[in-house]
Structures are given as structure tokens and as C-alpha cells.
Amino acid sequence: MIGAIKVISGTAHPELAEAICKCLGGDLCRTTVLRFSNENMLVQINENVREADVFVIQPSCPPVSDGIIELLMTIDALKHASAGRITAVLPYFPYARSDKKDRPRISITARLMADLVQTAGADRILTMNLHSPQVQGFFRIPADQLQAAPILCDYLRQSRDLTNYVLFAGDVGESKDVGHYAARLDLPIAIVYKRRSGDDEVARAR
Amino acid sequence: MIGAIKVISGTAHPELAEAICKCLGGDLCRTTVLRFSNENMLVQINENVREADVFVIQPSCPPVSDGIIELLMTIDALKHASAGRITAVLPYFPYARSDKKDRPRISITARLMADLVQTAGADRILTMNLHSPQVQGFFRIPADQLQAAPILCDYLRQSRDLTNYVLFAGDVGESKDVGHYAARLDLPIAIVYKRRSGDDEVARAR
Amino acid sequence: MIGAIKVISGTAHPELAEAICKCLGGDLCRTTVLRFSNENMLVQINENVREADVFVIQPSCPPVSDGIIELLMTIDALKHASAGRITAVLPYFPYARSDKKDRPRISITARLMADLVQTAGADRILTMNLHSPQVQGFFRIPADQLQAAPILCDYLRQSRDLTNYVLFAGDVGESKDVGHYAARLDLPIAIVYKRRSGDDEVARAR
Amino acid sequence: MIGAIKVISGTAHPELAEAICKCLGGDLCRTTVLRFSNENMLVQINENVREADVFVIQPSCPPVSDGIIELLMTIDALKHASAGRITAVLPYFPYARSDKKDRPRISITARLMADLVQTAGADRILTMNLHSPQVQGFFRIPADQLQAAPILCDYLRQSRDLTNYVLFAGDVGESKDVGHYAARLDLPIAIVYKRRSGDDEVARAR
Amino acid sequence: MIGAIKVISGTAHPELAEAICKCLGGDLCRTTVLRFSNENMLVQINENVREADVFVIQPSCPPVSDGIIELLMTIDALKHASAGRITAVLPYFPYARSDKKDRPRISITARLMADLVQTAGADRILTMNLHSPQVQGFFRIPADQLQAAPILCDYLRQSRDLTNYVLFAGDVGESKDVGHYAARLDLPIAIVYKRRSGDDEVARAR
Amino acid sequence: MIGAIKVISGTAHPELAEAICKCLGGDLCRTTVLRFSNENMLVQINENVREADVFVIQPSCPPVSDGIIELLMTIDALKHASAGRITAVLPYFPYARSDKKDRPRISITARLMADLVQTAGADRILTMNLHSPQVQGFFRIPADQLQAAPILCDYLRQSRDLTNYVLFAGDVGESKDVGHYAARLDLPIAIVYKRRSGDDEVARAR
């Protein structure tokens, strides 16, 4: 029932989508994205996608909100065009850091995004290095999370001499992640314990 | 179970929300909307809204996509803050004109918007003068549609002498709406029959 | 996962279903529809439909309500019989004209019908020439809308000399549709502007 | 949030609805049910029902399918008219006897009906003496099941001398129900053991 | 889209699962079930199940509650591991006898179980000899119900001389089932009419 | 529509429920929990709960699986008994620590639990000190999370002299929580950095 793979690029990062297509050895599925004078967008899929196994590539890049709406419209268009399976490829998942209620009466927006993508019609999510591993529990559709660490560590080892390096966690929350890199690179770690105060995004180490 | 009315203004049109509050004789519910350096927003409700009957006022204004995301985040925050009932007040409903599939493989985005607002957690919608009356069928939650015609017609009659006026429908699609005004104002109508071609938003009368 | 095509005819229009099967070169899937003395119906699928790609053909014909209930029962029986995919083929979609709330406190029944067909278990809808293009937005499952215009225009051109014909829209609401035919047949159009009043289905031109 | 009680009668059994209203000491909520020349119905609620606690009375009576569609349209109209709570009062639940799959590839239509009523927007169901007690498990919304036995037994005891009566179960399936009456009336029971064969609704005792 | 069959055994009845695999001619899919000191379990699927057609075998056996939770966790793990189709094989369906509300304010737990299995992510159910045939109506996903009677009757006929046997229904509720066996074995039946009173699971024949 | 508060205790921790009732100044709502010889449970609510604002208190205590099933059955019974609002009070949320996919092909069971509680019919959740703050994003129904820190800190300050105390995080993952206590008690903290290996629940500091 699911036919050939089709890769669609949103406007967020066409170079990434093209690089992926190059690896896969095919062309991007042609689409049109228009923006009318009232800022409303129109997303049109220009090829038959019936039964196709479609991957929509749209990491969260500025302009962020436009990228999200365009993503949802693309998925919706694909569903109604009878795509066989729709995978949203979101290497940087939108609002991944809004994963908890650290102030009263706010939205856990990463969860909201997961629900919106599912409502639009995605069958699966493909993402990378979520801000916290718990975010994977926000999805009810299968969500594969890729890890960049192996590639990054290989690169670090090949590009420089790591003797006498110390991995540095700028924040207690990052210490677990840094620990994974430390184990992989066999390096010691240091942790800065700081507290964030106010909305000015400035933290104070102590 | 549903307590006092609270009116929340998104950033789309605070003047409208304030004017509404003035009519109702109360103050806007205090909220904070922040925008971080990565363009992600944070919406916080600064008052207790437990059991409250909350109205969120957010017409579709530029920047359109930001306004939609902010609306969805506000509704989500309210739901998790245990608001008793959430009504999205959207005088200009986002993407109301994207109400049909006039090209192959596009999204009927007005329907998508209706689903997104419901997924975020709205219990009701309040809107005005939808682009086509069928759009009201896009909602599964109650959606009240207000009509501006009575107020506009009163204004027209009071502000000028309408003798010898003809109402003019610039498009066959508008002729039905113009007909309502004509009946209310007791004026004749003229209809331009034109055809739109291409994506340049220019139409040709004939 | 989806196997061979099976075509099922409801009792609404067996001749149509047979003509379709003839084109496809196969036989109708055998079913039994009984009606007990208390007017309750029983729909039984008499062939194995596991994994099959089933099309249920049931345009809205008198008796309309019986046809709808029979359709829903057939879809439900197919789902529980493990059909692979169920497509409801509804050339005349039931209640397609009930697409707006032109009186207070009525049902937009075309939307209700879309929801009922989905609740029963249909995966897709195939319909024709909806009363308004917005009705397509009533579906959350893929709904393909076929157009009769090309076939009808070919027929008109072949069967008579169209010189000096004028296409006539009996109602402003029809003028857009008539325009499509006019463009295709290269004929001028005339529009009657009338107003409908009361429930007697009689309109008055003026 | 839920206001005054409103009782609506469908066209199935207006006398019952009026008798109920008489007991409650109020009037029926006014509605209009039209039937157009294409057999499509229109249901309009003629009174404001915002926040009201609405009971729709529509037992399954001939014409059965029309009654079901009318019921669903009424519930849908009420939901979109912002009724506070909608209770479908279905003393004879439609298709209550279609509660099992006693042939291959049929619909368990009582379950389908439960789902349809919920999809249309009912919040609660009120029914009586279901064909089997398991049918109550078909609902996900609260469904109260009233029992007629106490009233019927009182009537039997008052209207005749029951000495020397034997309660007679015409079918093994009825023996449990008859047992309840026997316990309440303190009478012996007899059971006919018969087998049903074919679709002619005729059974043979042995 | 659906690949090879994989059979997974929960801890409820591994011998049954192995016997099934032996018939199918394959091995069980490897899984790990751990139980931590706080009684929480961990279910891990040790093989790739992407696109696989997975059958999870877990009849309701003591410890019953553990078996249910383990089943739900296994289904959930499979769904997020991108299994192609998940069939819960529950020869003894959990809480199958809790199929009606024979006391006020209790749960129809068989229906609840059906919903839980569906929420966890099962696509299909395979079960046997439900306590009442109506229970099949509790499922919205396809649920195949196998019958043991043919195998049991063959066994009885082959293993003993059934002349002068009478089939005995220990309860009116069982008489229908016993009747099916009687018809198949061509034997007479006797029915005990008893009434159950209180919670002590003791019934009294009369 | 929501009436008086009713507090129900599951069998997990009746002393807690009684202590809560004592604070509130009322009695526990009477219930019966039976366990049949086949280990199946029966939960019955012994008081009218129509429209009531019901709180079900059931922290995750051994036997854990029984406690979860009993909780779900209680919620289901309440929903069908027409409770006005059902709040599951789960101070220790079941499987709260299973909040991420730290091995391939496992269930994020805390999310599964959130979905099961919602499927059973809970309207709200009340919990305490979740294992990670992200778990709050697993709920689609409002979930209030209480914090024990203020009470615990008051107790510590009143019961001993904290001069020369150091707060000790036994694990990097705990350091953030410990930081909250440190800020509140104005004490320094120490962090042990350890790595967990294998399934034996033993970690090694380094």
C-alpha cells in the first residue's frame, strides 16, 4: 500500500533536504509555497503522492512560526492528497525546550507541537537530540530520535588531539548529556552550578 | 462550575480587547508574552483562571503565523491552568479564505485551523462574517458567527443619503453577500463577472 | 497489506455498481441485505474481505434515510470483517446541500454525514460535484471529488450545435458553476437574481 | 453552567413526550421538522437552548431509519446551538437486538448506533430494558437503563388474581428475564427450548 | 508495508506461545521483562520489529493485574518501535465476565479492557469463546472470536461413547451455549434453574 | 452542574484518604472492592455520585498492578454513574520514573499511564513531585503537581539545627532538585557523579 519514497522540503532549510536527497539518490518532490499580500500562505504539492511514503523536512528555523504553520499545511495537503505515510522530519523539533511548566500557567509547548503535528495528519516523527529525553513521551505516534553524538565525537577525535581536554557542562541540566560525551571520548568533566533568575536569559554561576 | 468571565487579549489587537472590556465593565486578565532570542514565544497567564469563563481575543492580523501560534499556546496554557470554559474570539478567522480545494493537492487551511484550535483546547469559537457560510461546518465545537451587516447598514444610512446608490458586487462570489445588504438597504445591485487566472491575484472583468 | 479490489453495491443504485464493475472487469462482491418486520435491516458480506481494498457504492437515493443507515452498517460490517481499506463511493453525497447554517439552530448535516461515515469506519470518500466546494473541507479522511463537467460538455458538443446558446444561471449561487461550463464551452452566460423566502421551496426572480 | 430543563420531541412518538412534559409540568421545546421533495429533512430548534439541559425523546419507531437520522440531526443542531447538556431519551434503543455477531461479517449495529449518537454530540443516554444487559457496555457516555418490571408487576398484581399462573419463557434466551419477573411475582416458570433456523424469523420448539 | 510475522509471548503463558510458534514453524521474538524492587516492570523488545506483523500472546492468567499491565506496556513498546500491525492474542480475554452492570455503580470492565488495549495501540484482537457474544461489540478495532466447540466436540466423540449422555446446563445463562454443543453432538440437554444471592459466589438450585 | 465533593479511597492507602477527609471535615464515600477466586476485582460505589465532584485517592503502592487496575475500574464506574467531575489523586504517580526511552524498544510507561487514566474517564489529575518536570507534559487533561518542598523544609528547620549541613545530591540527575532545597534552606550542595550500568540497579560513583 505504501509506494515509493518522496522527500519534500519546506522552506526552512532546503539545503538540508537537498543533501538528504543526494544521499538517497533522488530528486526533491516539487512543491509551491506562495505568500499572499495578507501574509496567508498556500502550499501546493506539484506531484502525485498517492500511496507514496512521504518525508517532509522542516527543522525549526527562523521565521519559526511561519515554519510551523507551513509544516502543518504541508502535512494536511499530503493527507488529503492520499499520501500513504507521512513522516515529519524535524531535526530541531519546534519548541523542544518548552518541555516543562517552570512557571505557573504556561503552555508545555513541545507537547502542544506534538499534538498539532499529529492533528495535521503526520503518521510518524523523525527528530534529533531532544532537549530532554522525556520529550519523546509527548508523542502518541512513533517518534524516532536520532543521536548526533557518534558523528560529533568521531569528528572531534579526528580533527584534534583531545589529550588534556576537559568537558565542561555549563549548567547542571547539561551535565547528564556531557556525561554521555565524556564516556564516549573518555574525558573528565566539570560542571558549573548556576541559577537562572528573571526573564532576561542571564544566569549567574556560583 | 464556570465562574466569572475573564477576557484575555493576545498581541494581535489589544485595542479591540480593551474596547470590549470597556463595554463589559471590567479589566483585561493580565498575561505576559515573551519572545526569546530563538524566536520561541512564552505565554503566561498572570492571574488565577480556575473555573473561569475565559474569552481569548485574537483576530488574524500580521504577523499572522505568530498570532496563530500565540493563540494556540494561550489556549493550551489556559486548559492546563484549569480554566472552566475557553472561547476563542476570532473576528477575522485565520485562513478563512482557504476554504476549498481550488487547486489539486492543497490544504483547506480554514478547516485545519479549526482543528488546531480545537486540539489546543478551545471549547467554543466566536467569529464574524466568514468568507463563505460553509466554513461554519468546519467546526465540531460550537462556533457562533456574528454578522456585521446590521451595524454597517445603520452606519451607512445615518452617515449619508443613499438615494441613487447602487450596490456593486465586484465578483460573482460576492453577489450573494451584496444581495443581503441590498435587501437591508433597499438598493439595487450590479454584478461584475470576472475570472481569476494565475497566482498574481489579478482578475479580469468581462 | 491491501489486497484485491472488491466492489460492493448497496441497494441504492445497483445498476450503477454493476456498470462500474463491468468497466473494471470483475463481479460485485456478494452481500445480503434483509429487512425484518420491525424495519431493522441486516447487512451481511457474503465473501471474505480480509485485507481487501473495498469500494462501497451508495449514492443518496430514495429512500434516503434507509440508504444512509445501510451504508453505515455496511462500512461497520466491513471494518469488523478486517477489510484492508474501505472507500465510500457516494456520487451524490447525502445531505450535500445542507452545508451552511442559513437559519438559526439547525444542523449542518453534510458535515454530520461526513462524521458519521468516518465513525462507521470509512478510510476514504469518493464523491462528485459537491453542492459547494467548501463541503470538501468537512472531511478529515481523504475525500476525492470527481467533476462531471468534462464528460457533460463533451456530450453537449457532440449531441447538438451550440451556436447561439446562452448558459443560464437560475440563481446567483449557481453562477460560478455555470461560469465553469461557459469557459469550457466558450459560451456567454446570463444570471437570474432571485430571492428565496419561506419554506415552500419557491423563489421569486426580480 | 447547565440551566433549565428543555424537553424536545422528535417525530417518533410525540404523545410520549407530551405525557412526560405533563408529569414535569412544562411545555415541549418548540421545533420544526421539514421534509423536502428530495426526502432530505431539516430540523430546527425554535427556542434558545444555550446552556439548557436538553432531553431529546425519540424511541425507535417506524419509519425507523428516518427516526435515527432525525435524532442525529437534532442532537447535532443542539450541540451547535450551545446546549449545555444533551440527553438522548431512547426508551426503545434503535437496533438493540443487533447486539452480537451471530453470522459472519455483519455489523453489531447496536454498538454502531451508540457510536453514532455520541458522534452527533449526545452527552448522555437514557434507555429502557435493553435486549441484553451487555448492550450497556456499548456506550462510552453515561447510559442509564430504566427497568419496566416494577411498574408492570404492580399492574399485573392489581389487575388480576395471579394464583395458579405460571410464567412462560418462550425461548431459553428469555428465561433469565422471566426469572426476574418470577422472583418478583413469586410464581413458577416454564421454559420452551427452541432453535431458530434461517432468515424467516420462524423458530421450532422441541 | 506489513512485513514478516513476529510472535511475542508475555509472561502469562509462554508454553502456549511456544506451541503456537511450533505450529507456525518459527521462533518467538525475543523480549525481556524485568521487575524492579518497587514492583514496576520493564518490557523490552529485543529484536527489530519495524513494519513487522506482530502477535502478542497473553491470556488472562494469575497474576491477572500484572498480566494486563505487562500486555499494555508490550503493545505500547511495539507501537513506538514502529511495528506494522499489532494483534493482541487474548484467548481468555481479561475480565470477560464483567460484561454487564448487574449492580448499580460498577464498571463494565470487559469494555474498559477493550478500550485500554486500544489506547495502548493494538490494531486487532484475537480472542476465544467470550463469556457472552455481546462482548464482541465492546471493540472498535476488529476482534476475531475463535470457537473451541468444534475441537472439543471432536475430542469428546473420539474419546468416549456418548450414547445415553445428557448435556447439563448448570445455569440458565449457560443453556444457550450448551444448546450449541447439544446440536453438534446430537444429545439432549437438561437445565438447572438456580438463583445467585449475595457476594459469596454460592448459588442455590431450586 | 458539579455538586458536593466526594472523596473515595482505593485500597492503596486508606489512611492517607482518611487523613485528607479529616482535614476536609467529611466522611469517605463508601465503596466495596471484592476480589473473586479468579483474581478479578469488582469495584462498586455505594453512594449516589450523580453530579458530584469526586476525588479518587490512589497513590502507587504495592501491589502496584492491582492498584492501577482498581484505579481504572473505579474511574470507569464513576463515569458511568454520572459523576460530575473525576479527579485522580495520585501523590506517587504510577511508573513516574519510566519517563524516557533509555533503551531501545521500551514503553515510556508514565505516558501510557497518563493515557490509560484519561481513557478510563478521569477529568483531572492531582499528583506530587514528579520524577522529572517533563512528565507533566504527558497529560492532556489538567494535571496539578503539588510540591512537598515547602512542608519538608519547614519541618527540617523546626526539627534540627541546620548549621554546618551540606545537601548531598546522590546523582547528577538529582542535583537540580537538591538545588531547590538548597536555595530554600540556604545551604551549600555537593553532587556525586556516578554512572549506572546494567539492570542490577547498582551504580558506581567516581
Side-chain angles (χ1 to χ4, degrees), chain C residues 8-10 31 33 43-45 54 56 58 67-80 86 120, chain D residues 105 107 112:
Chain C
I8 286 181
S9 177
T31 58
V33 178
V43 175
Q44 184 173 18
I45 317 295
V54 187
V56 183
Q58 182 87 332
I68 295 167
I69 300 293
E70 187 200 313
L71 169 68
L72 298 172
M73 290 174 72
T74 306
I75 293 170
D76 186 53
L78 286 166
K79 180 178 58 183
H80 287 288
I86 304 168
Chain D
R105 296 179 226 100
S107 160
L112 175 62

Side-chain angles (χ1 to χ4, degrees), chain A residues 2-171:
Chain A
I2 313 276
I5 285 177
K6 297 243 179 195
V7 179
I8 286 181
S9 178
T11 59
H13 204 322
E15 300 78 10
L16 173 64
E18 272 155 27
I20 291 173
C21 274
K22 211 169 163 184
C23 286
L24 291 172
D27 291 319
L28 279 173
C29 175
R30 282 170 298 109
T31 57
T32 304
V33 179
L34 299 177
R35 180 182 283 264
F36 296 112
S37 53
N38 65 353
E39 284 197 12
N40 283 6
M41 292 178 279
L42 181 147
V43 176
Q44 183 172 19
I45 317 296
N46 295 328
E47 300 181 12
N48 185 344
V49 292
R50 282 184 190 268
E51 321 283 308
D53 192 7
V54 186
F55 293 78
V56 183
I57 299 172
Q58 182 86 331
S60 186
C61 303
V64 168
S65 297
D66 283 337
I68 296 167
I69 300 294
E70 187 200 312
L71 170 68
L72 299 172
M73 290 174 72
T74 307
I75 294 171
D76 187 53
L78 286 166
K79 179 178 60 183
H80 287 289
S82 300
R85 192 172 65 165
I86 303 167
T87 302
V89 182
L90 310 170
Y92 181 10
F93 189 77
Y95 281 85
R97 296 179 63 167
S98 295
D99 59 358
K100 59 183 169 298
K101 222 169 161 175
D102 49 10
R103 310 179 190 199
R105 297 179 224 100
I106 62 170
S107 160
I108 299 181
T109 310
R111 167 65 198 264
L112 174 64
M113 289 295 142
D115 288 347
L116 297 181
V117 169
Q118 187 172 353
T119 293
D123 297 299
R124 305 172 44 80
I125 305 267
L126 201 56
T127 186
M128 282 188 70
N129 283 71
L130 292 166
H131 184 245
S132 64
Q134 286 79 8
V135 172
Q136 208 166 358
F138 291 1
F139 302 98
R140 276 317 278 167
I141 50 175
D144 285 313
Q145 184 187 183
L146 305 182
Q147 299 298 336
I151 291 175
L152 293 180
C153 289
D154 286 356
Y155 173 78
L156 286 173
R157 265 192 300 253
Q158 287 159 13
S159 61
R160 69 199 68 191
D161 173 13
L162 293 173
T163 325
N164 293 327
Y165 269 60
V166 171
L167 289 186
F168 190 89
D171 185 304

Side-chain angles (χ1 to χ4, degrees), chain E residues 70-86:
Chain E
E70 187 200 312
L71 170 68
L72 299 173
M73 289 173 72
T74 307
I75 293 170
D76 187 52
L78 286 166
K79 179 178 59 183
H80 287 289
S82 300
R85 192 173 65 165
I86 304 167

Side-chain angles (χ1 to χ4, degrees), chain A residues 149 152-157 160-172 174-193, chain F residues 172 193 195 206:
Chain A
L152 293 180
C153 289
D154 286 356
Y155 173 78
L156 286 173
R157 265 192 300 253
R160 69 199 68 191
D161 173 13
L162 293 173
T163 325
N164 293 327
Y165 269 60
V166 171
L167 289 186
F168 190 89
D171 185 304
V172 160
E174 287 171 5
S175 60
K176 207 160 190 178
D177 272 350
V178 171
H180 292 310
Y181 281 81
R184 189 176 284 272
L185 295 170
D186 200 23
L187 291 177
I189 74 171
I191 302 174
V192 176
Y193 177 65
Chain F
V172 158
Y193 177 64
R195 293 190 191 149
R206 70 177 227 172

Side-chain angles (χ1 to χ4, degrees), chain A residues 43 72-74 76-77, chain B residues 98 100-101 105-110 112:
Chain A
V43 176
L72 299 172
M73 290 174 72
T74 307
D76 187 53
Chain B
S98 295
K100 59 183 170 297
K101 222 168 162 176
R105 298 178 225 99
I106 62 169
S107 159
I108 300 181
T109 310
L112 175 62

